[in-house]
Amino acid sequence: MAIDVAAVRRSFPILDRELDGHRLVYLDSAASSLTPEPVLDAMDRYYRWSRSNVNRGVYPLAEEATDLYEGARTTLAGFLDADPVGVVFTKNATEACNLLAYGFVRAHLGPDDVLLSTVMEHHANLVPFTQAAAAVGAEVRHVPITPDGLLDLDAAAELLADGRVTFAAFVHVSNVLGTINDVERLTRMVKDANDRAIVHVDGAQAAPHLPVSFRDLGIDSYAIPGHKMLGPTGIGALVARPELLERMEPFLTGGDMIRDVTLTGATWNDVPHRFEAGTPMIAEAAGLAAAVGVLEGYGMAAVRSHERDLTAQLLDALGTVAGVTVHGPKDVDLRGGAVSFALDGIHPHDVGAMLGSRGGCVRVGHHCTKPLMRCLDVAATTRASSYVYNDVDDLEPLVDGLEAAAAFFAR
Amino acid sequence: MSMEDLYQEIILDHYRKPKNRAPELADEAVHVHHSNPLCGDEMDLRIRVLDDRLDAVVFDGEGCSISQAAASAMTQAVVGRELKDALDLAEDFRRMMHGDDPARPDDLGDGIAFTGVAKFPVRVKCALLGWMALRDAIQTFERGASAHTVTHEE
Ligand SMILES: Cc1ncc(COP(=O)(O)O)c(C=O)c1O
C-alpha cells in the first residue's frame, strides 16, 4: 500500500501551523521527526489514567504502568526483529552508544585491540568510542569514503587484514550523505577477519525509514532514537544480543538495576534491567510504542518506497537550481531521504535563514559530523530531509526559497 | 521573522561591497586569525597602529553574510580611533548583541544596522566575530605580540 500523504498529514497537528502566513514545510526529520496524535494520546493516557511507577507497586495501577513500559520493550523488539531481553531503553541514541562504550569497550578492550570506525560517523557514534579507545590504549582505524559518498570497502578490507579489529562501530544510514551502508557485508568482513569481533551499528537514520531486521543484519548491537521515528524526545534504545549485554558492566548504578545490595557492595539485576537504573521514561516508552504502531500501520516497506520516490524528485528538483551541488550518492537505491547540498557562494546560514523566513525548515551546519565535513572540504552544508508527511508539494517551496536566496545574496 | 528584520539593506551593502577587505596590510602591527568551527566562519584581521591609534584595519575571510558585513562595518567604525576607545566601542557592540541599547549609537556607524541580529541568537556569534577579532588584535598589541589565533567554541 502506498502512503496516503494527505491522510498521514491529518494526524500531525503541528502541520496545521502557519508561520508568518506560510505553511509549515518541515524538511528536518533527520534532526527530529514530528509527532502524530496516537503518540500524543498514548503519553496523555499514561499521565491521566495509568500514572504510577514501574516495577515497584503491587497495586493494579502500578502493574498497568509496568505493563505499558515492558510492553513497549516487546513492541520495539518486534519492530526491529530483535529479542526483547536485548532491548535497553536509554535517553537517546547517543546514550545508547555511550552505554556500549562504557559497559563494553572500556571494560573489555585493551592496548592489543583495534577499533574500526568510519569517516562518516555522527559524533554520537564516534566520540564515545574514540574516548574509550584512548582510555584503554586501543588503536582506532577509519574506513574512508569514495568520491560518491559510499564506504570504501576495499580500504576496509585492508584495515581488517591483520585480524586485530575486535570492535567495529559504524552508521547504517548517513545523516549527511544519506548513504545506506551495506551493514551485512561490512559485518561479515569484520567477523571473517576476527570471529570474536563485536559489531555495533548506529541506526538513528535507518530504523525510522527502512525495514530493519536486527537478526538479519548479523550485528551485535544497534542504537536508535525514539524522537526520529515519530516518537517522543527523551527515549531511545540500545538493541543488543542478550549475550553481549551479559558481558557488559553496568554504566549507571542505583535503584532497579540491582539484585541485592549491602552497605558495601551490590549484585546486578538481570539484563536488560541491569542497564536501566532508577525510574525510567514511562510516558515516553508508551509514546514510542504508539509510534511503532503508527509506522507498522503504514508498513516500513511503504515508508521506504515513499521516501525513495520523493528523494528522486528532490534530487531532480535540486538539479534545476543553478549552483546547487549535492553531496552523497545520486542513486536513490543507495541512499535515504537526507540530502545535503551546497548553494554556490552562499553560506548555509544564509540559505537556512531565507528558507526559514518562508516556513521552510532545513538544517544548516556540520550536522555533528565534523570529520566528514573535513573530508568533503566544506565547513557546513544545507540539508533537506523527508519523512512520511512530506510530498512533492514540499519541494516547490524549497526550490523557490533556494532561488530567492541565490538572488538575494548575489554579489 | 522576516528576512528584512535580519538583513537590513545596509548589511547587504556591506556584504556585497565590503569595506577594508584585504588579504594583507603594509606595516601591520598585529594579525589575528579567528574561527568559529560551528559555522565554519574564518576571519583574518590585521591592524596598523600609529600613536596609539588604529591607523588601518583590514579583514579577510569566509563566512555568512552577517559575519562578513559586520566585520566590514566594524572596520569603518574603528579606523582612526584610539585603541582604548575602539575597545570601548567593541564592548558597546557586544552589549547591543545581547539586547542592550547601545551607549554610542552614532559611533557604531553602520554597526547599528545589526541591532536586529540580537533577535536571532544563533547569528549573534556571526555578527560578533569581527569585533571579537578586533578586541583580540588590540589586546595582542598591548601585550607586545604580533599574532594570535583564536577558535571560538560556541
Ligand atoms: C546518524 C546519527 N547518529 C546519532 C544521532 C544522535 O541521536 P540522538 O540525538 O537521539 O542521541 C543522530 C541524530 O542527530 C544521527 O543522525
CSV table of all heavy atoms in Angstrom, one decimal, chain A residues 309-349:
chain,number,residue,atom,x,y,z
A,309,ASP,N,11.0,7.5,-3.7
A,309,ASP,CA,10.4,8.2,-4.8
A,309,ASP,C,10.5,9.7,-4.6
A,309,ASP,O,10.9,10.5,-5.5
A,309,ASP,CB,8.9,7.9,-5.0
A,309,ASP,CG,8.7,6.4,-5.4
A,309,ASP,OD1,9.7,5.8,-5.7
A,309,ASP,OD2,7.6,6.0,-5.4
A,310,LEU,N,10.3,10.2,-3.3
A,310,LEU,CA,10.3,11.6,-3.0
A,310,LEU,C,11.8,12.1,-3.1
A,310,LEU,O,12.0,13.2,-3.6
A,310,LEU,CB,9.8,11.9,-1.6
A,310,LEU,CG,9.5,13.3,-1.3
A,310,LEU,CD1,8.6,14.0,-2.3
A,310,LEU,CD2,8.9,13.4,0.1
A,311,THR,N,12.7,11.3,-2.7
A,311,THR,CA,14.1,11.6,-2.8
A,311,THR,C,14.6,11.8,-4.2
A,311,THR,O,15.3,12.7,-4.6
A,311,THR,CB,15.0,10.6,-2.1
A,311,THR,OG1,14.6,10.5,-0.7
A,311,THR,CG2,16.5,11.0,-2.1
A,312,ALA,N,14.1,10.9,-5.1
A,312,ALA,CA,14.4,11.0,-6.5
A,312,ALA,C,13.9,12.4,-7.0
A,312,ALA,O,14.6,13.1,-7.8
A,312,ALA,CB,13.7,9.9,-7.3
A,313,GLN,N,12.6,12.7,-6.6
A,313,GLN,CA,12.1,14.0,-7.1
A,313,GLN,C,12.8,15.2,-6.5
A,313,GLN,O,13.0,16.2,-7.1
A,313,GLN,CB,10.6,14.1,-6.7
A,313,GLN,CG,9.8,13.2,-7.7
A,313,GLN,CD,8.4,12.9,-7.1
A,313,GLN,OE1,8.2,12.4,-6.0
A,313,GLN,NE2,7.4,13.1,-7.9
A,314,LEU,N,13.3,15.0,-5.2
A,314,LEU,CA,14.0,16.1,-4.6
A,314,LEU,C,15.4,16.3,-5.3
A,314,LEU,O,15.8,17.4,-5.6
A,314,LEU,CB,14.3,15.7,-3.1
A,314,LEU,CG,15.3,16.6,-2.3
A,314,LEU,CD1,14.8,18.0,-2.3
A,314,LEU,CD2,15.4,16.1,-0.9
A,315,LEU,N,16.0,15.2,-5.7
A,315,LEU,CA,17.3,15.3,-6.4
A,315,LEU,C,17.1,16.0,-7.7
A,315,LEU,O,17.9,16.9,-8.1
A,315,LEU,CB,18.0,14.0,-6.6
A,315,LEU,CG,18.5,13.3,-5.3
A,315,LEU,CD1,19.0,11.9,-5.5
A,315,LEU,CD2,19.6,14.1,-4.6
A,316,ASP,N,16.0,15.6,-8.4
A,316,ASP,CA,15.7,16.3,-9.7
A,316,ASP,C,15.4,17.8,-9.5
A,316,ASP,O,15.9,18.6,-10.3
A,316,ASP,CB,14.4,15.6,-10.3
A,316,ASP,CG,14.7,14.3,-10.9
A,316,ASP,OD1,15.9,14.0,-11.1
A,316,ASP,OD2,13.8,13.5,-11.3
A,317,ALA,N,14.7,18.1,-8.5
A,317,ALA,CA,14.3,19.5,-8.2
A,317,ALA,C,15.6,20.3,-7.9
A,317,ALA,O,15.7,21.4,-8.4
A,317,ALA,CB,13.3,19.6,-7.0
A,318,LEU,N,16.5,19.7,-7.1
A,318,LEU,CA,17.7,20.4,-6.8
A,318,LEU,C,18.5,20.6,-8.0
A,318,LEU,O,19.2,21.6,-8.2
A,318,LEU,CB,18.5,19.7,-5.7
A,318,LEU,CG,17.9,19.7,-4.3
A,318,LEU,CD1,18.7,18.8,-3.4
A,318,LEU,CD2,17.9,21.1,-3.7
A,319,GLY,N,18.4,19.7,-8.9
A,319,GLY,CA,19.2,19.8,-10.2
A,319,GLY,C,18.7,21.0,-11.0
A,319,GLY,O,19.5,21.4,-11.9
A,320,THR,N,17.5,21.5,-10.8
A,320,THR,CA,17.1,22.6,-11.6
A,320,THR,C,17.6,23.9,-11.1
A,320,THR,O,17.4,25.0,-11.7
A,320,THR,CB,15.5,22.6,-11.6
A,320,THR,OG1,15.0,23.0,-10.3
A,320,THR,CG2,14.9,21.3,-12.1
A,321,VAL,N,18.2,23.9,-9.9
A,321,VAL,CA,18.6,25.2,-9.3
A,321,VAL,C,20.1,25.4,-9.6
A,321,VAL,O,20.9,24.6,-9.3
A,321,VAL,CB,18.4,25.2,-7.7
A,321,VAL,CG1,18.8,26.5,-7.1
A,321,VAL,CG2,17.0,24.8,-7.3
A,322,ALA,N,20.3,26.6,-10.2
A,322,ALA,CA,21.7,26.8,-10.6
A,322,ALA,C,22.6,26.9,-9.4
A,322,ALA,O,22.2,27.6,-8.4
A,322,ALA,CB,21.8,28.1,-11.4
A,323,GLY,N,23.8,26.3,-9.5
A,323,GLY,CA,24.7,26.5,-8.4
A,323,GLY,C,24.6,25.5,-7.3
A,323,GLY,O,25.3,25.5,-6.3
A,324,VAL,N,23.6,24.5,-7.4
A,324,VAL,CA,23.5,23.5,-6.3
A,324,VAL,C,24.4,22.3,-6.6
A,324,VAL,O,24.4,21.8,-7.7
A,324,VAL,CB,22.0,23.1,-6.2
A,324,VAL,CG1,21.9,21.8,-5.3
A,324,VAL,CG2,21.2,24.2,-5.5
A,325,THR,N,25.1,21.9,-5.6
A,325,THR,CA,25.9,20.7,-5.7
A,325,THR,C,25.5,19.7,-4.5
A,325,THR,O,25.5,20.1,-3.4
A,325,THR,CB,27.4,20.9,-5.4
A,325,THR,OG1,27.8,22.0,-6.2
A,325,THR,CG2,28.3,19.7,-5.8
A,326,VAL,N,25.0,18.5,-4.9
A,326,VAL,CA,24.5,17.6,-3.9
A,326,VAL,C,25.7,16.7,-3.4
A,326,VAL,O,26.5,16.2,-4.3
A,326,VAL,CB,23.4,16.7,-4.5
A,326,VAL,CG1,23.1,15.6,-3.6
A,326,VAL,CG2,22.2,17.6,-4.8
A,327,HIS,N,25.8,16.5,-2.1
A,327,HIS,CA,26.8,15.6,-1.6
A,327,HIS,C,26.2,14.2,-1.5
A,327,HIS,O,25.0,14.1,-1.2
A,327,HIS,CB,27.3,16.0,-0.2
A,327,HIS,CG,27.8,17.4,-0.1
A,327,HIS,ND1,29.1,17.7,-0.7
A,327,HIS,CD2,27.4,18.6,0.4
A,327,HIS,CE1,29.3,19.0,-0.5
A,327,HIS,NE2,28.3,19.5,0.1
A,328,GLY,N,27.0,13.2,-1.6
A,328,GLY,CA,26.5,11.8,-1.4
A,328,GLY,C,26.0,11.2,-2.7
A,328,GLY,O,25.9,11.8,-3.7
A,329,PRO,N,25.5,9.9,-2.6
A,329,PRO,CA,25.1,9.1,-3.8
A,329,PRO,C,24.0,9.8,-4.5
A,329,PRO,O,23.1,10.3,-3.9
A,329,PRO,CB,24.7,7.8,-3.2
A,329,PRO,CG,25.1,7.7,-1.8
A,329,PRO,CD,25.4,9.1,-1.3
A,330,LYS,N,24.0,9.7,-5.8
A,330,LYS,CA,22.9,10.2,-6.7
A,330,LYS,C,21.9,9.1,-6.9
A,330,LYS,O,20.8,9.3,-7.4
A,330,LYS,CB,23.4,10.7,-8.0
A,330,LYS,CG,24.6,11.7,-7.9
A,330,LYS,CD,24.2,13.0,-7.1
A,330,LYS,CE,25.4,14.0,-6.9
A,330,LYS,NZ,26.4,13.5,-6.0
A,331,ASP,N,22.3,7.8,-6.7
A,331,ASP,CA,21.4,6.7,-7.0
A,331,ASP,C,20.5,6.5,-5.8
A,331,ASP,O,21.0,6.2,-4.7
A,331,ASP,CB,22.3,5.4,-7.2
A,331,ASP,CG,21.5,4.2,-7.5
A,331,ASP,OD1,20.3,4.2,-7.2
A,331,ASP,OD2,22.1,3.2,-7.8
A,332,VAL,N,19.2,6.7,-6.0
A,332,VAL,CA,18.3,6.6,-4.8
A,332,VAL,C,18.2,5.3,-4.2
A,332,VAL,O,17.7,5.1,-3.1
A,332,VAL,CB,16.9,7.2,-5.2
A,332,VAL,CG1,16.9,8.7,-5.4
A,332,VAL,CG2,16.3,6.5,-6.4
A,333,ASP,N,18.6,4.2,-4.9
A,333,ASP,CA,18.6,2.9,-4.3
A,333,ASP,C,19.7,2.8,-3.2
A,333,ASP,O,19.7,1.9,-2.4
A,333,ASP,CB,18.8,1.8,-5.3
A,333,ASP,CG,17.5,1.6,-6.1
A,333,ASP,OD1,16.4,1.8,-5.6
A,333,ASP,OD2,17.6,1.4,-7.4
A,334,LEU,N,20.7,3.7,-3.3
A,334,LEU,CA,21.8,3.6,-2.3
A,334,LEU,C,21.7,4.6,-1.2
A,334,LEU,O,22.6,4.8,-0.4
A,334,LEU,CB,23.1,3.8,-3.1
A,334,LEU,CG,23.4,2.9,-4.2
A,334,LEU,CD1,24.7,3.3,-4.9
A,334,LEU,CD2,23.5,1.5,-3.7
A,335,ARG,N,20.6,5.4,-1.2
A,335,ARG,CA,20.5,6.4,-0.2
A,335,ARG,C,19.1,6.6,0.4
A,335,ARG,O,18.1,6.2,-0.1
A,335,ARG,CB,20.9,7.8,-0.9
A,335,ARG,CG,20.0,8.2,-2.0
A,335,ARG,CD,20.3,9.6,-2.4
A,335,ARG,NE,20.3,10.5,-1.3
A,335,ARG,CZ,21.2,11.4,-1.0
A,335,ARG,NH1,22.1,11.7,-1.8
A,335,ARG,NH2,21.1,12.1,0.1
A,336,GLY,N,19.2,7.2,1.6
A,336,GLY,CA,17.9,7.6,2.3
A,336,GLY,C,17.5,9.0,1.9
A,336,GLY,O,18.0,9.6,1.0
A,337,GLY,N,16.6,9.5,2.7
A,337,GLY,CA,16.0,10.8,2.4
A,337,GLY,C,16.7,12.1,2.9
A,337,GLY,O,16.1,13.1,2.8
A,338,ALA,N,17.8,11.9,3.5
A,338,ALA,CA,18.6,13.1,4.0
A,338,ALA,C,19.5,13.5,2.8
A,338,ALA,O,20.4,12.8,2.4
A,338,ALA,CB,19.4,12.8,5.2
A,339,VAL,N,19.3,14.8,2.3
A,339,VAL,CA,20.1,15.2,1.2
A,339,VAL,C,20.8,16.5,1.5
A,339,VAL,O,20.1,17.5,1.8
A,339,VAL,CB,19.2,15.5,-0.1
A,339,VAL,CG1,20.0,16.0,-1.2
A,339,VAL,CG2,18.4,14.2,-0.4
A,340,SER,N,22.1,16.5,1.6
A,340,SER,CA,22.9,17.7,1.9
A,340,SER,C,23.4,18.3,0.6
A,340,SER,O,23.8,17.5,-0.3
A,340,SER,CB,24.1,17.3,2.7
A,340,SER,OG,23.7,16.9,4.0
A,341,PHE,N,23.5,19.6,0.6
A,341,PHE,CA,24.0,20.2,-0.7
A,341,PHE,C,24.6,21.6,-0.3
A,341,PHE,O,24.4,22.1,0.8
A,341,PHE,CB,22.8,20.4,-1.7
A,341,PHE,CG,21.6,21.1,-1.1
A,341,PHE,CD1,21.5,22.5,-1.2
A,341,PHE,CD2,20.6,20.5,-0.5
A,341,PHE,CE1,20.4,23.2,-0.7
A,341,PHE,CE2,19.5,21.1,0.1
A,341,PHE,CZ,19.4,22.5,-0.1
A,342,ALA,N,25.3,22.1,-1.4
A,342,ALA,CA,25.9,23.4,-1.3
A,342,ALA,C,25.2,24.3,-2.3
A,342,ALA,O,24.8,23.8,-3.4
A,342,ALA,CB,27.4,23.4,-1.6
A,343,LEU,N,25.0,25.6,-2.0
A,343,LEU,CA,24.5,26.5,-3.0
A,343,LEU,C,25.7,27.5,-3.2
A,343,LEU,O,26.1,28.2,-2.3
A,343,LEU,CB,23.3,27.3,-2.4
A,343,LEU,CG,22.6,28.3,-3.4
A,343,LEU,CD1,22.2,27.6,-4.7
A,343,LEU,CD2,21.4,28.9,-2.7
A,344,ASP,N,26.2,27.5,-4.4
A,344,ASP,CA,27.5,28.1,-4.7
A,344,ASP,C,27.6,29.5,-4.2
A,344,ASP,O,26.7,30.4,-4.5
A,344,ASP,CB,27.6,28.1,-6.3
A,344,ASP,CG,29.1,28.5,-6.6
A,344,ASP,OD1,30.0,28.3,-5.8
A,344,ASP,OD2,29.2,29.1,-7.7
A,345,GLY,N,28.6,29.8,-3.4
A,345,GLY,CA,28.9,31.2,-3.0
A,345,GLY,C,28.0,31.7,-1.9
A,345,GLY,O,28.2,32.8,-1.4
A,346,ILE,N,27.1,30.9,-1.4
A,346,ILE,CA,26.2,31.4,-0.3
A,346,ILE,C,26.3,30.4,0.9
A,346,ILE,O,26.2,29.2,0.8
A,346,ILE,CB,24.7,31.4,-0.8
A,346,ILE,CG1,24.7,32.3,-2.1
A,346,ILE,CG2,23.8,32.0,0.2
A,346,ILE,CD1,23.3,32.4,-2.7
A,347,HIS,N,26.6,31.1,2.0
A,347,HIS,CA,26.8,30.3,3.2
A,347,HIS,C,25.5,29.6,3.7
A,347,HIS,O,24.4,30.2,3.6
A,347,HIS,CB,27.3,31.2,4.3
A,347,HIS,CG,27.8,30.5,5.5
A,347,HIS,ND1,27.0,30.0,6.5
A,347,HIS,CD2,29.1,30.3,5.9
A,347,HIS,CE1,27.8,29.4,7.4
A,347,HIS,NE2,29.0,29.6,7.1
A,348,PRO,N,25.5,28.4,4.1
A,348,PRO,CA,24.3,27.7,4.5
A,348,PRO,C,23.5,28.4,5.6
A,348,PRO,O,22.2,28.3,5.5
A,348,PRO,CB,24.9,26.4,5.2
A,348,PRO,CG,26.2,26.1,4.4
A,348,PRO,CD,26.7,27.5,4.2
A,349,HIS,N,24.1,29.2,6.4
A,349,HIS,CA,23.3,30.0,7.4
A,349,HIS,C,22.4,30.9,6.6
A,349,HIS,O,21.2,31.1,7.1
A,349,HIS,CB,24.3,30.9,8.2
A,349,HIS,CG,24.6,30.3,9.5
A,349,HIS,ND1,25.7,30.7,10.3
A,349,HIS,CD2,24.1,29.2,10.2
A,349,HIS,CE1,25.8,30.0,11.3
A,349,HIS,NE2,24.9,29.1,11.3
